[in-house]
Amino acid sequence: MVALSSSPAVSSPSSVSSSSTVSSSSAVGRAHFYPLTVREVRRLTDDAVEVVLIVPPELVPVFDHHPGQYVAVRAEVGGTQVRRSYSLCGPPAVGEIRIAIKRDRGGVFSTWANETLQPGMTVEAMSPRGGFISRCGVGDGDDAEGLVAADKTSRYLAVAAGSGITPIVAIARGVLHRSPRAVFDLVFANRTANDVMFVEEIADLKDRYPARFAVHHVLSREQRSSPWHSGRIDDVKLRELFDVVVPVAEVDEFFLCGPFELVQLVRDDLARRGVPSEKVRYELFASASTARARTETGAPVAADPTGETTTIRFTLDGLTSEVESPRSARETLLNAALRVRADVPFACAGGVCGTCRARLVDGQVDMADNYALEPDEVADGFVLTCQSRATTESVTIDFDA
């Protein structure tokens, strides 16, 4: 999705994601774009659609994924190639993937998808990525790490806002289906009842798991009978939520997805309560600065008047390329690489999706922001090329690592 976590989120008006303790490279190696045909475009709200893409038999293994992951998609819009990241909202299914796209004010791709995209049209999608997935399993699957014993009730809490529900609904469905002793609480913030995405899917989960799934709708622009369910989520509401509604100490895993302010508010409150950071998974929406960065990616740079340059070497699909970067330009590794190879992978260019990650083989860089890589990935030498600038005379990176 277009979805700070270590991974992208959804629909986003280009939402990009990132998680908190699972490697964001769940798909091994570098992701590639594949043309997929649109099977269905389903209206979710006045400003959001669910898009079903057909996955041909030969690509089924490529698009296998965990609930909560995302795909980067691209299409020709108004004569310009545009790419965004959107979370996968449907359960893993053979022959299709589903993404939700919420119209962003001024959003080129999201507006096109809501107004123009139709069945039979083709968009390109990358293989699924992202670490915004549950690490708590019961030992009955490849993705289950056995962090919750099979004979223990596992408890989950998700806080989502707007299109942040996209990966959350997939995660909730997967957790409840996989573990018969799982209990899942969802706090879902929206402006009005008409803005609530996946109403039917949420109702279906409630009907299917009445004793194990609870949803708390909070509407900021509608007055409800309960004060707790009206207005914006703030410190007061969070204290009530964590003191009265959900026993925080009993929660095995938290999932947060939405705008930075909300995600950070919840993370800070959980930290004050002593909740270990490894229990908190989160995913952020792309910001306005992210959109600007994406637009400017690959832009030409002016020569350094002193003639000083940095040599940037990179390996991609087994081929090694080299580009000279003017020192005074202070351009990112991604920008430099895109000037000589247009197929360098990226999606958000804002440090939140992790699509552009590469291993630093030689040299040193300064990475400005990192909302996508886990600590273990950084320790292993991975960097976000959209956020990294060389600080040595030469730098070598490997996108294939």
Side-chain angles (χ1 to χ4, degrees), residues 111-141:
T111 298
W112 173 79
N114 272 263
E115 296 181 355
T116 306
L117 193 59
Q118 298 178 7
M121 297 176 66
T122 299
V123 299
E124 293 183 296
M126 271 190 182
S127 49
R129 315 291 283 180
F132 190 58
I133 60 178
S134 175
R135 296 184 68 229
C136 293
V138 292
D140 62 352

PDB file of all heavy atoms in Angstrom, residues 111-141:
ATOM      1  N   THR A 111      -6.439   9.185  -7.400  1.00  0.00           N
ATOM      2  CA  THR A 111      -7.570   9.777  -8.125  1.00  0.00           C
ATOM      3  C   THR A 111      -7.843   8.999  -9.402  1.00  0.00           C
ATOM      4  O   THR A 111      -9.004   8.696  -9.734  1.00  0.00           O
ATOM      5  CB  THR A 111      -7.279  11.253  -8.465  1.00  0.00           C
ATOM      6  OG1 THR A 111      -7.107  11.987  -7.248  1.00  0.00           O
ATOM      7  CG2 THR A 111      -8.424  11.866  -9.269  1.00  0.00           C
ATOM      8  N   TRP A 112      -6.780   8.650 -10.121  1.00  0.00           N
ATOM      9  CA  TRP A 112      -6.924   7.861 -11.349  1.00  0.00           C
ATOM     10  C   TRP A 112      -7.566   6.512 -11.054  1.00  0.00           C
ATOM     11  O   TRP A 112      -8.471   6.066 -11.770  1.00  0.00           O
ATOM     12  CB  TRP A 112      -5.547   7.679 -11.989  1.00  0.00           C
ATOM     13  CG  TRP A 112      -5.519   6.756 -13.151  1.00  0.00           C
ATOM     14  CD1 TRP A 112      -5.902   7.016 -14.440  1.00  0.00           C
ATOM     15  CD2 TRP A 112      -5.079   5.380 -13.158  1.00  0.00           C
ATOM     16  NE1 TRP A 112      -5.718   5.908 -15.243  1.00  0.00           N
ATOM     17  CE2 TRP A 112      -5.214   4.892 -14.477  1.00  0.00           C
ATOM     18  CE3 TRP A 112      -4.566   4.544 -12.171  1.00  0.00           C
ATOM     19  CZ2 TRP A 112      -4.854   3.587 -14.826  1.00  0.00           C
ATOM     20  CZ3 TRP A 112      -4.218   3.243 -12.510  1.00  0.00           C
ATOM     21  CH2 TRP A 112      -4.373   2.772 -13.823  1.00  0.00           C
ATOM     22  N   ALA A 113      -7.118   5.859  -9.991  1.00  0.00           N
ATOM     23  CA  ALA A 113      -7.654   4.547  -9.646  1.00  0.00           C
ATOM     24  C   ALA A 113      -9.133   4.631  -9.276  1.00  0.00           C
ATOM     25  O   ALA A 113      -9.929   3.750  -9.624  1.00  0.00           O
ATOM     26  CB  ALA A 113      -6.858   3.941  -8.493  1.00  0.00           C
ATOM     27  N   ASN A 114      -9.518   5.687  -8.573  1.00  0.00           N
ATOM     28  CA  ASN A 114     -10.915   5.828  -8.152  1.00  0.00           C
ATOM     29  C   ASN A 114     -11.832   6.262  -9.282  1.00  0.00           C
ATOM     30  O   ASN A 114     -13.020   5.955  -9.267  1.00  0.00           O
ATOM     31  CB  ASN A 114     -11.009   6.821  -6.993  1.00  0.00           C
ATOM     32  CG  ASN A 114     -10.833   6.181  -5.633  1.00  0.00           C
ATOM     33  OD1 ASN A 114     -11.805   5.865  -4.959  1.00  0.00           O
ATOM     34  ND2 ASN A 114      -9.593   5.970  -5.231  1.00  0.00           N
ATOM     35  N   GLU A 115     -11.303   6.973 -10.262  1.00  0.00           N
ATOM     36  CA  GLU A 115     -12.158   7.522 -11.312  1.00  0.00           C
ATOM     37  C   GLU A 115     -12.047   6.804 -12.655  1.00  0.00           C
ATOM     38  O   GLU A 115     -13.010   6.806 -13.431  1.00  0.00           O
ATOM     39  CB  GLU A 115     -11.824   9.007 -11.516  1.00  0.00           C
ATOM     40  CG  GLU A 115     -12.123   9.881 -10.312  1.00  0.00           C
ATOM     41  CD  GLU A 115     -11.806  11.336 -10.561  1.00  0.00           C
ATOM     42  OE1 GLU A 115     -11.252  11.641 -11.652  1.00  0.00           O
ATOM     43  OE2 GLU A 115     -12.095  12.175  -9.688  1.00  0.00           O
ATOM     44  N   THR A 116     -10.898   6.194 -12.936  1.00  0.00           N
ATOM     45  CA  THR A 116     -10.649   5.693 -14.291  1.00  0.00           C
ATOM     46  C   THR A 116     -10.407   4.189 -14.369  1.00  0.00           C
ATOM     47  O   THR A 116     -10.786   3.551 -15.348  1.00  0.00           O
ATOM     48  CB  THR A 116      -9.432   6.425 -14.900  1.00  0.00           C
ATOM     49  OG1 THR A 116      -9.657   7.838 -14.829  1.00  0.00           O
ATOM     50  CG2 THR A 116      -9.213   6.020 -16.341  1.00  0.00           C
ATOM     51  N   LEU A 117      -9.778   3.625 -13.360  1.00  0.00           N
ATOM     52  CA  LEU A 117      -9.394   2.210 -13.419  1.00  0.00           C
ATOM     53  C   LEU A 117     -10.626   1.319 -13.567  1.00  0.00           C
ATOM     54  O   LEU A 117     -11.608   1.477 -12.841  1.00  0.00           O
ATOM     55  CB  LEU A 117      -8.624   1.842 -12.153  1.00  0.00           C
ATOM     56  CG  LEU A 117      -7.870   0.503 -12.171  1.00  0.00           C
ATOM     57  CD1 LEU A 117      -6.846   0.471 -13.297  1.00  0.00           C
ATOM     58  CD2 LEU A 117      -7.188   0.263 -10.828  1.00  0.00           C
ATOM     59  N   GLN A 118     -10.565   0.380 -14.515  1.00  0.00           N
ATOM     60  CA  GLN A 118     -11.693  -0.498 -14.802  1.00  0.00           C
ATOM     61  C   GLN A 118     -11.203  -1.919 -15.055  1.00  0.00           C
ATOM     62  O   GLN A 118     -10.037  -2.144 -15.375  1.00  0.00           O
ATOM     63  CB  GLN A 118     -12.442  -0.012 -16.063  1.00  0.00           C
ATOM     64  CG  GLN A 118     -13.049   1.363 -15.944  1.00  0.00           C
ATOM     65  CD  GLN A 118     -13.716   1.785 -17.255  1.00  0.00           C
ATOM     66  OE1 GLN A 118     -13.842   0.997 -18.200  1.00  0.00           O
ATOM     67  NE2 GLN A 118     -14.151   3.039 -17.303  1.00  0.00           N
ATOM     68  N   PRO A 119     -12.105  -2.907 -14.905  1.00  0.00           N
ATOM     69  CA  PRO A 119     -11.753  -4.294 -15.224  1.00  0.00           C
ATOM     70  C   PRO A 119     -11.236  -4.397 -16.655  1.00  0.00           C
ATOM     71  O   PRO A 119     -11.743  -3.734 -17.563  1.00  0.00           O
ATOM     72  CB  PRO A 119     -13.081  -5.045 -15.043  1.00  0.00           C
ATOM     73  CG  PRO A 119     -13.825  -4.226 -14.031  1.00  0.00           C
ATOM     74  CD  PRO A 119     -13.467  -2.796 -14.349  1.00  0.00           C
ATOM     75  N   GLY A 120     -10.223  -5.216 -16.840  1.00  0.00           N
ATOM     76  CA  GLY A 120      -9.631  -5.401 -18.155  1.00  0.00           C
ATOM     77  C   GLY A 120      -8.396  -4.559 -18.385  1.00  0.00           C
ATOM     78  O   GLY A 120      -7.598  -4.857 -19.276  1.00  0.00           O
ATOM     79  N   MET A 121      -8.231  -3.498 -17.596  1.00  0.00           N
ATOM     80  CA  MET A 121      -7.037  -2.673 -17.714  1.00  0.00           C
ATOM     81  C   MET A 121      -5.865  -3.376 -17.029  1.00  0.00           C
ATOM     82  O   MET A 121      -6.042  -4.331 -16.263  1.00  0.00           O
ATOM     83  CB  MET A 121      -7.281  -1.292 -17.100  1.00  0.00           C
ATOM     84  CG  MET A 121      -8.366  -0.495 -17.807  1.00  0.00           C
ATOM     85  SD  MET A 121      -8.745   1.108 -17.008  1.00  0.00           S
ATOM     86  CE  MET A 121      -7.220   2.004 -17.252  1.00  0.00           C
ATOM     87  N   THR A 122      -4.665  -2.930 -17.333  1.00  0.00           N
ATOM     88  CA  THR A 122      -3.463  -3.561 -16.795  1.00  0.00           C
ATOM     89  C   THR A 122      -2.659  -2.573 -15.960  1.00  0.00           C
ATOM     90  O   THR A 122      -2.484  -1.419 -16.345  1.00  0.00           O
ATOM     91  CB  THR A 122      -2.565  -4.105 -17.924  1.00  0.00           C
ATOM     92  OG1 THR A 122      -3.286  -5.101 -18.660  1.00  0.00           O
ATOM     93  CG2 THR A 122      -1.292  -4.722 -17.366  1.00  0.00           C
ATOM     94  N   VAL A 123      -2.196  -3.022 -14.815  1.00  0.00           N
ATOM     95  CA  VAL A 123      -1.239  -2.267 -14.010  1.00  0.00           C
ATOM     96  C   VAL A 123      -0.090  -3.214 -13.697  1.00  0.00           C
ATOM     97  O   VAL A 123      -0.232  -4.435 -13.784  1.00  0.00           O
ATOM     98  CB  VAL A 123      -1.859  -1.734 -12.695  1.00  0.00           C
ATOM     99  CG1 VAL A 123      -3.013  -0.793 -12.980  1.00  0.00           C
ATOM    100  CG2 VAL A 123      -2.317  -2.880 -11.806  1.00  0.00           C
ATOM    101  N   GLU A 124       1.037  -2.643 -13.345  1.00  0.00           N
ATOM    102  CA  GLU A 124       2.182  -3.466 -12.979  1.00  0.00           C
ATOM    103  C   GLU A 124       2.313  -3.494 -11.468  1.00  0.00           C
ATOM    104  O   GLU A 124       2.114  -2.479 -10.798  1.00  0.00           O
ATOM    105  CB  GLU A 124       3.458  -2.907 -13.598  1.00  0.00           C
ATOM    106  CG  GLU A 124       3.492  -3.020 -15.115  1.00  0.00           C
ATOM    107  CD  GLU A 124       4.806  -2.521 -15.678  1.00  0.00           C
ATOM    108  OE1 GLU A 124       5.092  -1.319 -15.533  1.00  0.00           O
ATOM    109  OE2 GLU A 124       5.560  -3.335 -16.242  1.00  0.00           O
ATOM    110  N   ALA A 125       2.640  -4.654 -10.931  1.00  0.00           N
ATOM    111  CA  ALA A 125       2.773  -4.803  -9.482  1.00  0.00           C
ATOM    112  C   ALA A 125       4.049  -5.551  -9.150  1.00  0.00           C
ATOM    113  O   ALA A 125       4.449  -6.476  -9.859  1.00  0.00           O
ATOM    114  CB  ALA A 125       1.569  -5.544  -8.904  1.00  0.00           C
ATOM    115  N   MET A 126       4.692  -5.122  -8.074  1.00  0.00           N
ATOM    116  CA  MET A 126       5.870  -5.823  -7.568  1.00  0.00           C
ATOM    117  C   MET A 126       5.431  -7.005  -6.715  1.00  0.00           C
ATOM    118  O   MET A 126       4.316  -7.039  -6.190  1.00  0.00           O
ATOM    119  CB  MET A 126       6.711  -4.892  -6.692  1.00  0.00           C
ATOM    120  CG  MET A 126       7.767  -4.094  -7.427  1.00  0.00           C
ATOM    121  SD  MET A 126       8.865  -3.291  -6.220  1.00  0.00           S
ATOM    122  CE  MET A 126       9.939  -2.399  -7.359  1.00  0.00           C
ATOM    123  N   SER A 127       6.308  -7.951  -6.548  1.00  0.00           N
ATOM    124  CA  SER A 127       6.046  -9.043  -5.622  1.00  0.00           C
ATOM    125  C   SER A 127       5.913  -8.468  -4.213  1.00  0.00           C
ATOM    126  O   SER A 127       6.494  -7.438  -3.892  1.00  0.00           O
ATOM    127  CB  SER A 127       7.177 -10.071  -5.682  1.00  0.00           C
ATOM    128  OG  SER A 127       8.440  -9.439  -5.579  1.00  0.00           O
ATOM    129  N   PRO A 128       5.107  -9.097  -3.355  1.00  0.00           N
ATOM    130  CA  PRO A 128       4.811  -8.550  -2.030  1.00  0.00           C
ATOM    131  C   PRO A 128       6.056  -8.348  -1.169  1.00  0.00           C
ATOM    132  O   PRO A 128       7.005  -9.139  -1.225  1.00  0.00           O
ATOM    133  CB  PRO A 128       3.884  -9.606  -1.412  1.00  0.00           C
ATOM    134  CG  PRO A 128       3.248 -10.251  -2.596  1.00  0.00           C
ATOM    135  CD  PRO A 128       4.331 -10.314  -3.634  1.00  0.00           C
ATOM    136  N   ARG A 129       6.021  -7.279  -0.384  1.00  0.00           N
ATOM    137  CA  ARG A 129       7.114  -6.941   0.514  1.00  0.00           C
ATOM    138  C   ARG A 129       6.536  -6.543   1.865  1.00  0.00           C
ATOM    139  O   ARG A 129       5.345  -6.373   2.018  1.00  0.00           O
ATOM    140  CB  ARG A 129       7.933  -5.759  -0.041  1.00  0.00           C
ATOM    141  CG  ARG A 129       8.277  -5.827  -1.495  1.00  0.00           C
ATOM    142  CD  ARG A 129       9.271  -6.905  -1.809  1.00  0.00           C
ATOM    143  NE  ARG A 129      10.636  -6.504  -1.433  1.00  0.00           N
ATOM    144  CZ  ARG A 129      11.703  -7.284  -1.616  1.00  0.00           C
ATOM    145  NH1 ARG A 129      11.551  -8.484  -2.142  1.00  0.00           N
ATOM    146  NH2 ARG A 129      12.916  -6.873  -1.273  1.00  0.00           N
ATOM    147  N   GLY A 130       7.413  -6.320   2.826  1.00  0.00           N
ATOM    148  CA  GLY A 130       7.016  -5.702   4.073  1.00  0.00           C
ATOM    149  C   GLY A 130       7.037  -6.599   5.284  1.00  0.00           C
ATOM    150  O   GLY A 130       6.800  -7.804   5.204  1.00  0.00           O
ATOM    151  N   GLY A 131       7.318  -5.987   6.424  1.00  0.00           N
ATOM    152  CA  GLY A 131       7.397  -6.708   7.681  1.00  0.00           C
ATOM    153  C   GLY A 131       6.271  -6.408   8.635  1.00  0.00           C
ATOM    154  O   GLY A 131       6.355  -6.732   9.814  1.00  0.00           O
ATOM    155  N   PHE A 132       5.204  -5.772   8.161  1.00  0.00           N
ATOM    156  CA  PHE A 132       4.065  -5.460   9.026  1.00  0.00           C
ATOM    157  C   PHE A 132       3.180  -6.696   9.113  1.00  0.00           C
ATOM    158  O   PHE A 132       2.065  -6.738   8.595  1.00  0.00           O
ATOM    159  CB  PHE A 132       3.302  -4.262   8.461  1.00  0.00           C
ATOM    160  CG  PHE A 132       2.252  -3.715   9.388  1.00  0.00           C
ATOM    161  CD1 PHE A 132       2.586  -3.272  10.657  1.00  0.00           C
ATOM    162  CD2 PHE A 132       0.936  -3.608   8.983  1.00  0.00           C
ATOM    163  CE1 PHE A 132       1.619  -2.757  11.511  1.00  0.00           C
ATOM    164  CE2 PHE A 132      -0.042  -3.084   9.820  1.00  0.00           C
ATOM    165  CZ  PHE A 132       0.306  -2.667  11.094  1.00  0.00           C
ATOM    166  N   ILE A 133       3.705  -7.727   9.755  1.00  0.00           N
ATOM    167  CA  ILE A 133       3.013  -9.007   9.855  1.00  0.00           C
ATOM    168  C   ILE A 133       3.127  -9.513  11.286  1.00  0.00           C
ATOM    169  O   ILE A 133       3.977  -9.061  12.061  1.00  0.00           O
ATOM    170  CB  ILE A 133       3.604 -10.060   8.890  1.00  0.00           C
ATOM    171  CG1 ILE A 133       5.087 -10.303   9.205  1.00  0.00           C
ATOM    172  CG2 ILE A 133       3.451  -9.601   7.444  1.00  0.00           C
ATOM    173  CD1 ILE A 133       5.739 -11.347   8.334  1.00  0.00           C
ATOM    174  N   SER A 134       2.270 -10.452  11.640  1.00  0.00           N
ATOM    175  CA  SER A 134       2.298 -10.991  12.989  1.00  0.00           C
ATOM    176  C   SER A 134       3.458 -11.962  13.157  1.00  0.00           C
ATOM    177  O   SER A 134       3.714 -12.804  12.299  1.00  0.00           O
ATOM    178  CB  SER A 134       0.980 -11.719  13.295  1.00  0.00           C
ATOM    179  OG  SER A 134       1.047 -12.344  14.567  1.00  0.00           O
ATOM    180  N   ARG A 135       4.156 -11.825  14.274  1.00  0.00           N
ATOM    181  CA  ARG A 135       5.222 -12.758  14.604  1.00  0.00           C
ATOM    182  C   ARG A 135       4.745 -13.790  15.596  1.00  0.00           C
ATOM    183  O   ARG A 135       5.486 -14.712  15.938  1.00  0.00           O
ATOM    184  CB  ARG A 135       6.420 -12.006  15.186  1.00  0.00           C
ATOM    185  CG  ARG A 135       7.084 -11.052  14.215  1.00  0.00           C
ATOM    186  CD  ARG A 135       8.308 -10.415  14.838  1.00  0.00           C
ATOM    187  NE  ARG A 135       9.364 -11.386  15.052  1.00  0.00           N
ATOM    188  CZ  ARG A 135      10.022 -11.537  16.201  1.00  0.00           C
ATOM    189  NH1 ARG A 135       9.715 -10.794  17.234  1.00  0.00           N
ATOM    190  NH2 ARG A 135      10.987 -12.433  16.324  1.00  0.00           N
ATOM    191  N   CYS A 136       3.548 -13.639  16.096  1.00  0.00           N
ATOM    192  CA  CYS A 136       3.025 -14.568  17.083  1.00  0.00           C
ATOM    193  C   CYS A 136       2.312 -15.711  16.379  1.00  0.00           C
ATOM    194  O   CYS A 136       1.324 -15.495  15.685  1.00  0.00           O
ATOM    195  CB  CYS A 136       2.059 -13.866  18.035  1.00  0.00           C
ATOM    196  SG  CYS A 136       2.869 -12.659  19.100  1.00  0.00           S
ATOM    197  N   GLY A 137       2.823 -16.901  16.538  1.00  0.00           N
ATOM    198  CA  GLY A 137       2.203 -18.057  15.898  1.00  0.00           C
ATOM    199  C   GLY A 137       1.918 -19.138  16.919  1.00  0.00           C
ATOM    200  O   GLY A 137       2.220 -19.007  18.098  1.00  0.00           O
ATOM    201  N   VAL A 138       1.332 -20.201  16.461  1.00  0.00           N
ATOM    202  CA  VAL A 138       1.059 -21.337  17.333  1.00  0.00           C
ATOM    203  C   VAL A 138       1.800 -22.561  16.844  1.00  0.00           C
ATOM    204  O   VAL A 138       1.474 -23.683  17.176  1.00  0.00           O
ATOM    205  CB  VAL A 138      -0.460 -21.627  17.398  1.00  0.00           C
ATOM    206  CG1 VAL A 138      -1.170 -20.500  18.105  1.00  0.00           C
ATOM    207  CG2 VAL A 138      -1.045 -21.814  16.001  1.00  0.00           C
ATOM    208  N   GLY A 139       2.823 -22.310  16.014  1.00  0.00           N
ATOM    209  CA  GLY A 139       3.677 -23.401  15.585  1.00  0.00           C
ATOM    210  C   GLY A 139       3.099 -24.274  14.502  1.00  0.00           C
ATOM    211  O   GLY A 139       3.535 -25.389  14.289  1.00  0.00           O
ATOM    212  N   ASP A 140       2.089 -23.773  13.776  1.00  0.00           N
ATOM    213  CA  ASP A 140       1.435 -24.625  12.790  1.00  0.00           C
ATOM    214  C   ASP A 140       1.627 -24.151  11.368  1.00  0.00           C
ATOM    215  O   ASP A 140       0.897 -24.516  10.466  1.00  0.00           O
ATOM    216  CB  ASP A 140      -0.062 -24.727  13.098  1.00  0.00           C
ATOM    217  CG  ASP A 140      -0.751 -23.360  13.021  1.00  0.00           C
ATOM    218  OD1 ASP A 140      -0.028 -22.359  12.889  1.00  0.00           O
ATOM    219  OD2 ASP A 140      -1.982 -23.324  13.080  1.00  0.00           O
ATOM    220  N   GLY A 141       2.637 -23.346  11.119  1.00  0.00           N
ATOM    221  CA  GLY A 141       2.852 -22.880   9.757  1.00  0.00           C
ATOM    222  C   GLY A 141       4.232 -22.309   9.601  1.00  0.00           C
ATOM    223  O   GLY A 141       4.950 -22.066  10.566  1.00  0.00           O
TER     224      GLY A 141
END
